[in-house]
């Protein structure tokens, strides 16, 4: 199981409230069988001018996305967090998130943490003016360090515990407990009946 305790890297500021999942990954890209290749289409319709933050050279390789209020609202499509993660984002800090979007991120091991609106906006300004600023997001202390600033963050304690213990990874949990699963299956008469 993969524990997620700290993420360090540059940040990408994305301004705007109520950015919905259709803007994150337009519906025409939902026909894929796997999520492979979705990263190149993240914010496809917003990126027509080449001036979108996801296109700008100073933000290439960024790991922490910094957003405003109600990010990820709209439909519950899993493709939205998948596209963001496959672009390279490993964590999102914002003013607030749509609940289903945050849950889909958690299922992938992408933490969504909130901070006070004025602190999020100040962080966005910092990243716009000094894009090479290194950020350190610490899930143990629930803080984000940006230069000499330390920003307090919040997230549901149950979600935080899942990330720092590695329990967010459902497949990893199944594999880690394979022997116990086989023991239980061996005791279930209807499983044995199906095998015969």
């Amino acid at each position: 199981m993969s524990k997620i305790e700290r993420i360090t890297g540059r940040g990408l500021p994305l301004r705007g409230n109520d950015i919905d999942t259709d803007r994150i990954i337009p519906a025409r890209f939902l026909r894929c069988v796997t999520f492979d290749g979705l990263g190149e289409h993240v914010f496809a319709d917003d990126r027509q001018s080449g001036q979108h933050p996801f296109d700008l050279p100073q933000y290439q390789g960024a790991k922490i996305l910094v957003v405003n209020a109600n990010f990820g609202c709209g439909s519950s499509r899993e493709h939205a967090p998948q596209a963001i993660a496959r672009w390279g984002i490993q964590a999102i800090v914002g003013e607030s998130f749509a609940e289903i979007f945050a849950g889909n991120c958690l299922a992938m091991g992408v933490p969504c943490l909130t901070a006070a609106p004025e602190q999020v906006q100040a962080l966005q300004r910092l990243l716009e003016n000094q894009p090479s600023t290194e950020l350190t997001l610490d899930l143990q202390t629930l803080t984000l360090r940006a230069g000499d600033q330390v920003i307090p963050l919040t997230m549901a304690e149950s979600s935080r515990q899942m990330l720092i213990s590695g329990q967010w990874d459902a497949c990893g949990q199944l594999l880690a407990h394979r022997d116990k699963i086989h023991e239980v299956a061996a005791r279930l008469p209807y499983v044995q009946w199906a095998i015969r």
Side-chain angles (χ1 to χ4, degrees):
M1 292 185 289
S2 179
K3 297 179 181 181
I4 300 170
E5 299 173 314
R6 180 175 289 119
I7 297 164
T8 299
R10 290 179 294 108
L12 189 159
L14 181 62
R15 290 188 181 268
N17 295 328
D18 305 314
I19 293 177
D20 65 34
T21 54
D22 192 51
R23 282 183 61 193
I24 295 169
I25 188 72
R28 67 185 175 277
F29 298 109
L30 305 186
R31 294 180 293 217
C32 56
V33 176
T34 69
F35 297 120
D36 296 337
L38 282 184
E40 64 190 77
H41 303 297
V42 69
F43 291 101
D45 292 340
D46 290 2
R47 294 169 66 183
Q48 299 300 315
S49 70
Q51 295 305 304
H52 190 275
F54 275 80
D55 290 320
L56 298 176
Q58 64 266 36
Y59 300 123
Q60 299 309 298
K63 293 183 179 177
I64 300 173
L65 180 61
V66 182
V67 298
N68 297 111
N70 199 28
F71 187 76
C73 58
S75 72
S76 61
R77 63 184 69 164
E78 295 172 74
H79 298 69
Q82 285 283 350
I84 290 170
R86 288 169 190 271
W87 186 88
I89 296 298
Q90 297 177 10
I92 310 175
V93 173
E95 296 175 30
S96 63
F97 296 93
E99 188 175 345
I100 293 174
F101 175 85
N104 285 338
C105 285
L106 177 64
M108 298 169 42
V110 176
C112 291
L113 300 103
T114 57
E118 59 276 6
Q119 291 180 314
V120 168
Q121 292 158 27
L123 180 58
Q124 288 173 323
R125 283 191 299 275
L126 173 67
L127 295 173
E128 288 163 353
N129 295 325
Q130 300 174 39
S132 62
T133 302
E134 186 170 88
L135 307 179
T136 299
L137 189 155
D138 190 326
L139 287 170
Q140 294 286 1
T141 61
L142 284 177
T143 57
L144 178 74
R145 182 174 295 280
D148 59 356
Q149 299 178 44
V150 178
I151 300 167
L153 302 172
T154 59
M155 78 179 315
E157 180 60 18
S158 58
S159 299
R160 187 181 80 87
Q161 286 299 323
M162 287 176 71
L163 291 162
I164 63 176
S165 68
Q167 293 178 3
W168 65 271
D169 183 358
C171 290
Q173 286 188 64
L174 286 172
L175 291 172
H177 297 92
R178 182 179 335 174
D179 293 340
K180 290 180 183 176
I181 292 169
H182 287 295
E183 286 174 24
V184 171
R187 291 192 311 261
L188 299 174
Y190 54 87
V191 173
Q192 295 305 315
W193 173 80
I195 294 173
R196 292 183 197 150

